[in-house]
Amino acid sequence: MKVIITKDYEEASDKMFEEMKEFLVPGKVLGLATGSSPLGLYARMVKDHKENGTSYKDIKTFNLDEYVGLPLTHPESYYAFMHTNLFDQIDIPEENTHVPSGLGEDLEGQAAHYEEMIRENPIDIQVLGIGSDGHIAFNEPGTDFNSLTHVTDLLEPTIRDNARFFDFDMDKVPHQAVTQGIATILRAKKIILIGTGENKAKAVKAMVEGPITEECPASILQKHDNTVIVVDEAAASLLSK
Ligand code: GLP
């Protein structure tokens, strides 16, 4: 894995956009993430679309994950997040965008169907953030490295971290999610991960320098042959070199 250390979040977002830019051409399949970390990247994609006319008409997207049980209209659903922060501001057709469904009777069946769609549309570049416990998408510590898209229980650190989006009330945070599995993510041809701020420093160290272990899901990225990790100085502060 290649590690790029930047001064701050803005510079990290610039780097993420630089990595992404060559993939913004017809026929490409983008893997997208939610959370605060990719917001700077999405703002740059919107600006580039508006100023340079980069078109998304023939680009497809697949998101990593979704909460179970939130209506699509809930502002914190990942479906709504993606529409607000990216899809509604570019020219991508709705049918080209995919966010796993966290609603319905047969969540596992829907997850299997989502996995199938990604197999048919291999992801060219996957955007990732990282949880403070080392999770990627919603693959929490202990998740099987061979996992495919599945329904999962969220662990307490993740519920606590995400409570800031739900009036700081942990009871309002959904306790389950549908997520691409680790094996799904690793099939992406290129992976770009952004981690910024002191809160991510421990997870970044475990991801980059720790043993490859299911206790730190992101550590498996050491085995992926085309991964770029973009971290700011605060998130990189525990790295030994
Ligand atoms: C959630 C998402 C992850 C994301 C993580 C970190 O758990 N499922 O994909 O990487 O949050 O979020 P943030 O970027 O807000 O720190």
Side-chain angles (χ1 to χ4, degrees), residues 124-187:
D124 292 294
I125 185 164
Q126 176 66 56
V127 177
L128 290 181
I130 181 168
S132 62
D133 60 0
H135 74 243
I136 47 176
F138 269 133
N139 294 288
E140 295 281 29
T143 305
D144 193 329
F145 282 154
N146 294 314
S147 53
L148 302 175
T149 305
H150 63 288
V151 181
T152 189
D153 294 331
L154 303 184
L155 299 183
E156 213 220 289
T158 300
I159 295 171
R160 198 183 326 114
D161 282 350
N162 289 357
R164 67 188 195 281
F165 300 116
F166 294 86
D167 308 324
F168 292 92
D169 182 349
M170 286 173 66
D171 291 335
K172 288 190 184 162
V173 183
H175 285 32
Q176 281 196 313
V178 178
T179 181
Q180 285 187 33
I182 308 262
T184 323
I185 293 169
L186 289 179
R187 290 202 307 269

Side-chain angles (χ1 to χ4, degrees), residues 34-37 64-65 78 129-131 135 137-138 158 162 164 200:
T34 49
S36 327
S37 302
L64 288 170
D65 48 10
Y78 285 169
I130 181 168
H135 74 243
F138 269 133
T158 300
N162 289 357
R164 67 188 195 281
K200 301 292 170 72

Side-chain angles (χ1 to χ4, degrees), residues 71-87:
L72 300 184
T73 50
H74 190 293
E76 295 308 331
S77 76
Y78 285 169
Y79 175 91
F81 176 102
M82 288 310 302
H83 280 79
T84 305
N85 293 300
L86 185 65
F87 300 155

